[in-house]
Amino acid sequence: MAVFPPTLDRLVQILSRLPGIGRKSATRIALKLMSSSKADCAELARAIVEAREKTLKCSQCGALTEVDPCRICTDPRRDRSVVCVVERPSDVIAFERTSRFRGRYHVLGGLLSPLDGIGPEDLRITSLAKRACTPEVQEIILALNPTAEGEATSLYIAKLLSDSSVRVSKLASGIPVGGDLDLADDLTLGTALEERREL
Ligand SMILES: [Zn+2]
């Protein structure tokens, strides 16, 4: 016999698909919602739908935004000569939090992973190469996670850009190997950025 009514059971199932939320946490959240007011539940549902509907990827850098191009790409105070290459939109947020980067970004949307069938054409690499060829861009900073896939992707991009006049650099060590840029503290990330080395 089912423990929960079918609608509640469905809610638990959907919540447990979210990252970091197992069946136990999903059950706790669902039960908490059942004891909240209907107005609060409706507000949460509306916030999810509205955020999803209004948020899009910037056509220039790939970061999450509500206006295209995003505010970072169009900010006249940002240094247009430096582009920081990251894996995911959340990495942009991690760097912005450090307040130590004044250039612009390029989100790849993943890392090369032949075993998972992810090749260069699946990532925003062609658009990066195009950006790197514009005269205003003088330096590309590769800020990918120091995992096997991150290193392979950095090498691929460095090779691809080796014939261009753009300078290619990489984050200094300091980010734990296999670690997540997203979870690195602001100071570590800021220092890794400032002490980057040329490839
Ligand atoms: Zn942008």
Side-chain angles (χ1 to χ4, degrees):
M1 208 179 77
V3 183
F4 290 140
T7 46
L8 190 52
D9 197 45
R10 180 164 165 263
L11 177 60
V12 172
Q13 269 180 40
I14 292 172
L15 286 170
S16 58
R17 288 183 211 150
L18 298 172
I21 298 185
R23 177 113 198 147
K24 216 168 157 183
S25 305
T27 304
R28 263 185 35 223
I29 295 168
L31 290 175
K32 172 73 187 153
L33 289 170
M34 292 312 102
S35 64
S36 308
S37 70
K38 285 182 186 172
D40 282 352
C41 287
E43 192 188 0
L44 174 66
R46 263 200 312 276
I48 293 171
V49 171
E50 204 177 334
R52 186 60 194 91
E53 268 171 7
K54 287 194 174 165
T55 305
L56 48 99
K57 282 180 185 158
C58 172
S59 57
Q60 289 185 17
C61 72
L64 295 178
T65 177
E66 280 189 16
V67 285
D68 187 28
C70 74
R71 289 207 170 81
I72 296 174
C73 283
T74 53
D75 186 344
R77 291 162 302 174
R78 310 272 316 200
D79 182 355
R80 300 182 76 82
S81 71
V82 193
V83 174
C84 180
V85 179
V86 295
E87 179 188 347
R88 296 164 304 188
S90 59
D91 298 328
V92 172
I93 296 162
F95 277 108
E96 284 302 287
R97 231 176 28 213
T98 70
S99 312
R100 282 159 83 175
F101 181 65
R102 297 307 301 158
R104 291 178 300 156
Y105 297 93
H106 192 90
V107 180
L108 292 178
L111 296 172
L112 292 177
S113 179
L115 287 178
D116 300 314
I118 301 172
E121 63 288 351
D122 299 308
L123 307 176
R124 300 178 68 251
I125 287 183
T126 308
S127 56
L128 172 64
K130 263 188 208 151
R131 283 182 87 180
C133 288
T134 54
E136 62 182 14
V137 176
Q138 285 161 22
E139 183 182 3
I140 298 282
I141 303 170
L142 298 169
L144 305 175
N145 282 315
T147 55
E149 285 89 1
E151 294 296 330
T153 310
S154 290
L155 274 177
Y156 180 89
I157 294 171
K159 216 171 156 193
L160 187 73
L161 301 178
S162 59
D163 288 338
S164 70
S165 58
V166 77
R167 206 163 60 238
V168 180
S169 58
K170 207 179 135 187
L171 279 199
S173 52
I175 308 294
V177 174
D180 220 325
L181 284 191
D182 214 10
L183 301 176
D185 67 88
D186 297 357
L187 187 67
T188 307
L189 203 54
T191 307
L193 188 65
E194 274 156 21
E195 292 175 359
R196 62 186 181 269
R197 56 184 169 80
E198 211 164 312
L199 277 179

